Amino acid sequence: MRIFLSLLAILPVTMGFPALAQGTDDAIVTSAGPDAVEVSIYRDPNADPENPLELGYLQGFALITETREIDLPAGPVTLRFEGVASGIIPQSALVSGIGIEEKNRDARLLSQRGLLDAFTGQRVTIRRTNPATGEATEESGTIRSDPDRVILQTAAGFESLYCTGLDQTLLFPSVPRGLTAKPTLSVAMGDQPGGRMQVTLTYLASNFDWQANYVAELNAQGDRIDLLGWMTMASADDTSFVNASANAIAGTVNRVENGEDEDIETAGPYSEDDIDIAFSCWPYGTTTSGLGRAVMGAIPPPPPPPPLAAPAPIAMRMMESEDAGQFIVVTGSRIAQREELGDLKLYRIPFPVTVAAQSQKQVAFLSKKQVEGEIIYRSTFSDSSDEGDIERLFVIQNEETSGLGEPMPSGQFAFFQRVLGQRQLVGQASMNDKAVSEEIELALGGASNVTIDHDYGDKDGKNWESHVITVKNANDFPVTFEVRFNPNEEETLKKFKGKTFRKNGRTIWRVTVPANDERKLRYRSYEVEED
């Protein structure tokens, strides 16, 4: 078996828990992976629902519970749990079913630095590929390395790697002893009787997150929606959990910064020892020109992956029927079930899923038909005469009588409506967490066929002015228009010649404007007299 190391990438070594001394006579038992696993993903408490998840920057975390059947010999044993999450927080690990004396996040992962350190002074094979012809050649050599660069000794002499202008890959004959390709947590056990035991390992891990994404289809009248909610679950971890029981937790959980001890280096993504080698050509940084490889004497790290697009359109495709273009019917057995977890909400997926490494997946958690709502056009006056832009909103009363009545985790909405038989996107919105009985306002965008004008009236007094607001509707259907007044401290509004009401400390005028028609509101603004 040969191990490949590409010199075109800079690979980070996973930061580990400091190694603990182990008795030389202790037996070592390795558990290759869990027999059963449950993954509960908690959201980033500071997440902005307007932003989609970015796989390269996940700020949530997961609670992972693994069950393993293990055969132990009698006496002191070091038990190695392979296949744990690479983002494991070692301090959070709990092991039940056995007694342990110490635990250790094994840092010696199979990595670029580990391979080079292990094979320094030994023979390896270097493969060079000509970028112009694609021709590959192999040659044997011995690694002569120092902290700043990799030197290879071949029959032709000494060579500073990466300075030929060719793509170069080192081929190693085997995996060095003591290195592991899987993230590993090890625990030391004292003298014990041995035998077959069921062990439960529970720990927190970073680099997970989830977000709600909602897809809504408006009816032709714009007063009802068919609503489907998706849990978009993301993992930036290096470990996949196959056939896992998976949950998503909605709500805000207070969490100590990093959840790690202060004496462990956590200032950035990697500690000083975790950054792998930046190869450089001696003495001038490069021996080639025009290849665009070496920059300022070092290989630049690979570019970050592009940000993930908002997943709502993905959900739309998943809902699309290939035959009739209708919503797919999601049965109750395929929808995540909501449970109460104190003040939090737990959404349990009722079937096994794979929480794959470096990926995201979507599972339905809400399906409601014919939810009642209302499209409202709104403008806000910051003072008596300066009207704001017109917003077009879809407003839902989160009540069972409206067809909803469910806790709504924060997330993004995509609204669709059929036009000439085809489903078209008519607006996108975001929403913070909403409880049952709260009003949900979703901004769909601006208005093109509805306008608002302000004019001063033909009368005024010593300390007041008259105003006229005119709302015009150029659509061939009636619209509901709402003006919210937010006067400054130097004036007060009175004498409204139209029906208004108070809500959240504001005066609101709401009117239905018929198709191709207009409506007016007259009022006065009075100067506030100083005491």
Side-chain angles (χ1 to χ4, degrees), residues 4-274:
F4 295 80
L5 170 61
S6 172
L7 301 183
L8 298 181
I10 299 177
L11 304 177
V13 179
T14 305
M15 182 174 62
F17 198 71
L20 303 175
Q22 298 173 351
T24 56
D25 296 332
D26 290 1
I28 298 178
V29 176
T30 298
S31 171
D35 300 304
V37 61
E38 182 174 8
V39 180
S40 298
I41 300 179
Y42 291 73
R43 300 180 307 178
D44 173 10
N46 301 312
D48 185 346
E50 292 187 0
N51 298 327
L53 295 176
E54 293 187 26
L55 202 58
Y57 189 73
L58 299 180
Q59 298 297 297
F61 63 99
L63 176 66
I64 300 174
T65 300
E66 303 179 1
T67 302
R68 304 182 184 222
E69 294 283 343
I70 301 172
D71 291 312
L72 296 177
V77 173
T78 296
L79 177 57
R80 301 177 74 249
F81 295 97
E82 288 189 346
V84 297
S86 60
I88 183 176
I89 300 173
Q91 297 88 333
S92 69
L94 298 173
V95 182
S96 60
I98 56 174
I100 63 173
E101 295 180 343
E102 57 189 33
K103 56 187 177 181
N104 168 36
R105 166 68 163 90
D106 293 350
R108 300 202 68 199
L109 290 179
L110 185 62
S111 65
Q112 181 175 342
R113 170 66 73 181
L115 286 170
L116 291 173
D117 287 345
F119 280 93
T120 295
Q122 300 185 40
R123 298 193 70 80
V124 297
T125 300
I126 183 169
R127 175 184 293 167
R128 300 184 177 93
T129 303
N130 190 313
T133 65
E135 180 182 0
T137 60
E138 292 186 359
E139 182 180 6
S140 178
T142 302
I143 294 178
R144 310 293 187 188
S145 181
D146 67 21
D148 297 323
R149 58 187 59 85
V150 175
I151 306 298
L152 190 69
Q153 182 181 5
T154 65
F158 291 89
E159 175 184 344
S160 180
L161 290 186
Y162 198 76
C163 297
T164 63
L166 303 179
D167 290 344
Q168 299 172 326
T169 301
L170 289 180
L171 284 71
F172 297 85
S174 63
V175 177
R177 179 177 175 82
L179 294 187
T180 175
K182 297 180 180 180
T184 303
L185 178 80
S186 64
V187 297
M189 305 168 57
D191 195 11
Q192 45 83 43
R196 188 166 185 81
M197 298 183 180
Q198 184 179 81
V199 178
T200 300
L201 172 63
T202 303
Y203 56 89
L204 296 176
S206 56
N207 298 322
F208 291 84
D209 209 345
W210 77 277
Q211 185 182 62
N213 289 93
Y214 301 92
V215 180
E217 183 172 14
L218 280 161
N219 64 359
Q221 295 74 31
D223 59 2
R224 280 179 171 78
I225 58 172
D226 287 342
L227 181 62
L228 190 57
W230 296 91
M231 296 188 310
T232 302
M233 310 171 74
S235 168
D237 202 81
D238 297 324
T239 301
S240 294
F241 298 97
V242 181
N243 291 327
S245 299
N247 315 305
I249 313 298
T252 302
V253 177
N254 186 42
R255 190 163 176 240
V256 177
E257 184 71 17
N258 290 322
E260 299 176 353
D261 293 341
E262 293 181 358
D263 59 347
I264 297 178
E265 187 72 41
T266 57
Y270 312 111
S271 69
E272 183 176 348
D273 295 333
D274 295 320

